[in-house]
Amino acid sequence: MDLLESLQLGLATALTLENLFYCLLGVSVGMIVGVLPGIGHLAAVSLLMPLTFHVPATAALVMLAGIYYGAQYGGSIASILLNLPGTASSAVICLDGYPMAQKGRAGSALMITTIASFFGSCFAILVLILMAPPLAQLALSFHSADYFSMMVLGLVAAGSISQGRPLLGLASVVLGLLIGLVGIDVNSGVMRMTFGVPELFDGISIIVIAMALFGVSEVISSIGKTGDSARSINVSFRSLLPTRKEWSQSGWPILRGSGVGTAIGILPGTGGGSMASFMAYAVEKRVSSKPESFGKGAVPGIAAPEGANNAAAQSSFIPTLTLGIPGDAIMALMLGALMIHGIAPGPRVVTDNPELFWGLIVSFLIGNLILLILNIPLIKVWVKILQIPYRLLFPAIILLICAGVYSLDRSAVDVLMVAGFSAVGYLLIKLGFEAAPLLLGFILGPMLEENLRRSMLLSRGDFMVFLERPVSATFLILSALLLLWVIWGSLKPRQRPVVNV
């Protein structure tokens, strides 16, 4: 099947009424979630994932993906108007977006970020269309040992490149691996860490983990950071039109940011949009002829990061769909959604499920077009949503999380596990651990074990199989070098600042 035929198949799949409806629903929910600070797309995807159990896999992925990249659009609105980032990746927009709003250019900033979001997404989708099929064909030649080593590299990268202390990130990965081992061993039938609880025989549900770590824990953490946002905000439609100078200042930054975001999104473990937006901001400040203007309302300071985080949101699907390696926590949830629908993640998604793969890609284009059309006319609506008091919003979210978890198996144990993991997750966040590497370890743990056992079975217990194969050896060497770099950085004594007395 050539590229043109594949795109025709994707167009026919994405334009069905069912998939169009779920695309519109996903991007609309994503925009609302992005606008509201303190919720996040992870909590939204976790909360709505149970609703996708009863719909086809393509519709489920279309909706969940729409929430993800839709939130990237909405996140900049609160950053510009309130100096409160709706998503982590839009935090850097506050640096120049809010100063622009204080200068009376809020409408112009909103328009520039919308155009940058659309261009960055389309740029990354084009790269996805061109890169994903050949990458999937290459991955089909991989041995189980190659997959094992590749997953090891992805987990090590996810832990070591995480924000904060890398060793704690790696510890979070190990903790996630342990949680993923709960349940019946499919090879031997032995109960592992079930403590005699029948509800744990099938393992812990990804919905329980995701809602606890990215739903309840994040809400609890956000309560002390965000107050009621009700305030008077007025953005006229006339103010949405940027000046000719602002257009000229945003062109090249959008292009550079899109390139940076696409490259970072392809790399597993880099955190996707957050790292991309900050790196794009740093690049733009470095190449600018007026770096002193950044932080005071510079147009490139919002154009480049916005293009980068949306490009990273789309390009992060490349390793997820072609290799089965999630780049961040939201991609891990996408893999979980695939497995829930009985689809094994990996390169065979492209060959065995072409309707799903190409339908999802074409839906990205449709969804971004919907976002471009809806975002500007609904500015007044987003402003009204920003005025919802958080003391009313957060309890409603907690109630919906409990109802969603209970609806899985009508089990009170699942609700209790959400409460327990929420408390543990909140404690871990306070101690400096991160939830995203833990979720990646939880998702990849069973697949890591499966490929390890398969490799050992085929090699009759010879561990050299992981070093004899060039691809596997390369991944393991990169993993070892990354671990050594993390250990060296942690053991190297930090220079104490000199205090002049």
Side-chain angles (χ1 to χ4, degrees):
M1 184 181 298
D2 60 19
L3 184 59
L4 185 58
E5 291 178 349
S6 300
L7 291 175
Q8 288 176 343
L9 175 63
L11 190 63
T13 304
L15 289 180
T16 61
L17 290 178
E18 183 180 43
N19 290 331
L20 283 175
F21 169 75
Y22 282 104
C23 181
L24 177 61
L25 177 62
V27 297
S28 301
V29 171
M31 275 198 295
I32 296 172
V33 167
V35 168
L36 292 171
I39 299 179
H41 42 60
L42 278 168
V45 171
S46 305
L47 183 62
L48 294 178
M49 190 178 287
L51 300 179
T52 65
F53 292 177
H54 310 291
V55 301
T58 303
L61 267 294
V62 165
M63 187 185 77
L64 296 178
I67 295 173
Y68 179 36
Y69 60 81
Q72 309 298 323
Y73 275 74
S76 60
I77 296 176
S79 298
I80 293 170
L81 298 181
L82 297 178
N83 203 29
L84 292 172
T87 60
S89 59
S90 61
V92 70
I93 305 297
C94 295
L95 299 178
D96 285 282
Y98 189 65
M100 282 188 69
Q102 291 180 313
K103 295 177 181 178
R105 302 301 299 163
S108 176
L110 291 171
M111 174 64 82
I112 292 172
T113 55
T114 299
I115 299 301
S117 299
F118 181 75
F119 183 86
S121 297
C122 292
F123 184 89
I125 292 170
L126 178 61
V127 175
L128 174 60
I129 291 172
L130 297 176
M131 282 190 60
L135 188 59
Q137 288 296 326
L138 175 64
L140 284 174
S141 62
F142 281 10
H143 187 270
S144 56
D146 302 329
Y147 276 114
F148 170 81
S149 302
M150 184 171 58
M151 291 178 187
V152 169
L153 177 60
L155 290 174
V156 172
S160 59
I161 306 179
S162 60
Q163 299 174 359
R165 288 172 286 184
L167 288 180
L168 290 182
L170 293 173
S172 299
V173 169
V174 174
L175 182 59
L177 290 172
L178 292 175
I179 297 174
L181 296 178
V182 174
I184 300 176
D185 182 4
V186 295
N187 293 292
S188 64
V190 175
M191 304 288 184
R192 301 187 299 193
M193 296 183 286
T194 59
F195 307 104
V197 180
E199 286 80 3
L200 293 180
F201 289 174
D202 292 330
I204 300 175
S205 170
I206 183 178
I207 305 299
V208 171
I209 296 293
M211 286 191 176
L213 297 181
F214 300 103
V216 181
S217 296
E218 291 296 328
V219 167
I220 295 174
S221 301
S222 300
I223 288 176
K225 300 177 184 178
T226 56
D228 287 351
S229 58
R231 52 179 291 185
S232 176
I233 305 171
N234 184 25
V235 178
S236 64
F237 289 112
R238 181 174 297 179
S239 67
L240 294 175
L241 295 177
T243 63
R244 183 176 298 180
K245 181 181 179 181
E246 289 171 338
W247 279 125
S248 63
Q249 290 177 337
S250 60
W252 283 108
I254 291 175
L255 183 60
R256 283 190 290 263
S258 301
V260 170
T262 301
I264 291 177
I266 294 174
L267 301 175
T270 55
S274 300
M275 180 177 289
S277 58
F278 279 96
M279 185 167 291
Y281 186 86
V283 168
E284 208 56 42
K285 189 174 181 179
R286 179 66 60 89
V287 302
S288 175
S289 60
K290 297 180 179 179
E292 67 279 0
S293 65
F294 281 72
K296 302 176 183 178
V299 171
I302 63 172
E306 190 66 18
N309 68 46
N310 284 270
Q314 304 290 352
S315 63
S316 59
F317 281 91
I318 294 177
T320 304
L321 294 177
T322 59
L323 303 176
I325 303 296
D328 54 17
I330 198 74
M331 290 298 105
L333 291 178
M334 295 297 170
L335 285 188
L338 280 175
M339 292 187 287
I340 287 170
H341 284 84
I343 299 174
R348 293 200 175 275
V349 171
V350 182
T351 57
D352 296 348
N353 300 275
E355 296 87 357
L356 182 147
F357 178 78
W358 291 106
L360 185 61
I361 289 180
V362 174
S363 76
F364 292 163
L365 292 170
I366 296 174
N368 279 280
L369 186 59
I370 292 174
L371 287 166
L372 180 65
I373 295 172
L374 291 182
N375 207 27
I376 300 302
L378 293 180
I379 287 293
K380 298 284 187 181
V381 177
W382 307 140
V383 169
K384 291 295 183 183
I385 291 177
L386 282 172
Q387 296 173 358
I388 298 176
Y390 288 107
R391 66 177 183 272
L392 303 178
L393 191 63
F394 287 154
I397 294 173
I398 298 294
L399 180 62
L400 289 174
I401 288 175
C402 294
V405 171
Y406 183 77
S407 67
L408 295 178
D409 297 311
R410 290 183 172 85
S411 172
V413 175
D414 288 341
V415 179
L416 293 176
M417 282 197 294
V418 168
F421 278 113
S422 299
V424 173
Y426 180 73
L427 179 62
L428 290 176
I429 291 173
K430 288 298 182 181
L431 292 176
F433 290 82
E434 291 191 47
L438 190 152
L439 182 63
L440 292 176
F442 175 79
I443 292 291
L444 292 182
M447 291 189 286
L448 189 76
E449 181 189 18
E450 178 185 351
N451 284 283
L452 172 63
R453 290 192 171 189
R454 185 180 299 161
S455 300
M456 297 306 295
L457 182 64
L458 294 174
S459 65
R460 298 183 179 182
D462 186 5
F463 281 98
M464 287 302 296
V465 68
F466 298 106
L467 297 177
E468 291 172 349
R469 295 186 59 83
V471 174
S472 175
T474 301
F475 286 138
L476 288 180
I477 291 173
L478 291 175
S479 303
L481 292 176
L482 192 55
L483 277 174
L484 289 175
W485 176 71
V486 170
I487 294 173
W488 170 255
S490 301
L491 297 179
K492 187 172 62 176
R494 298 179 180 178
Q495 296 181 352
R496 296 182 179 180
V498 178
V499 180
N500 296 323
V501 179

